[in-house]
Amino acid sequence: MVNAGGAVEVVGGAASKIVATAGDLVVSSSAGKLILSGASGDDSVHVQSDFKVDGTFTIAGSLTVPGDLTVNGTTTTLDTTNLNVQDKFIFLADGAQALNTNAGLLFSSGSSVAARPDIAVGRLANDSWGIGSIANPNSGTL
């Protein structure tokens, strides 16, 4: 029903539904936010099918992913103080397009980007590995 303020309200019993039997169901607001809320606890808002966001998706609180997490893109940034990995192995260059691809770990230290002595551990060539400093961490080479 449409209330006195012009808002659409769905009032029902144990479960209320808005159903589009053909085409898309579009809910939009040019002046505010679309807010989905439910009772507190697990599944307070439940999506039963794929959920796609065109644009930026920001989560203000915690996010728990009970299944696998796949991130597609060229850069994944984790802005975190501590990273705890339970797995015993971290695979670098997995899926590289060429054999004998250089790979490694880069450790940064120092008070500024210009002054920091970046330390690299990585494969140099022909199954030889090295440790040392790196002048340009964005170069992709040791």
Side-chain angles (χ1 to χ4, degrees):
M1 77 176 171
V2 177
N3 68 16
V8 175
E9 293 182 1
V10 178
V11 181
S16 299
K17 294 181 180 182
I18 299 174
V19 178
T21 58
D24 296 336
L25 172 63
V26 177
V27 179
S28 65
S29 173
S30 62
K33 301 174 184 176
L34 172 62
I35 299 171
L36 302 174
S37 64
S40 64
D42 292 343
D43 295 336
S44 61
V45 175
H46 183 82
V47 178
Q48 290 184 310
S49 187
D50 293 343
F51 185 68
K52 179 181 178 185
V53 176
D54 292 329
T56 302
F57 186 62
T58 302
I59 298 174
S62 297
L63 171 67
T64 301
V65 179
D68 294 335
L69 174 65
T70 301
V71 179
N72 295 322
T74 56
T75 301
T76 301
T77 302
L78 300 174
D79 185 5
T80 183
T81 302
N82 295 306
L83 175 63
N84 298 317
V85 179
Q86 291 182 356
D87 202 329
K88 294 177 248 160
F89 301 101
I90 298 173
F91 290 95
L92 301 175
D94 188 34
Q97 299 301 315
L99 295 176
N100 300 319
T101 299
N102 290 342
L105 297 174
L106 181 65
F107 301 92
S108 295
S109 178
S111 58
S112 70
V113 173
R116 70 182 190 209
D118 293 334
I119 303 299
V121 177
R123 182 188 174 281
L124 299 174
N126 298 327
D127 296 327
S128 63
W129 287 76
I131 184 168
S133 64
I134 186 169
N136 182 359
N138 296 319
S139 69
T141 60
L142 299 176

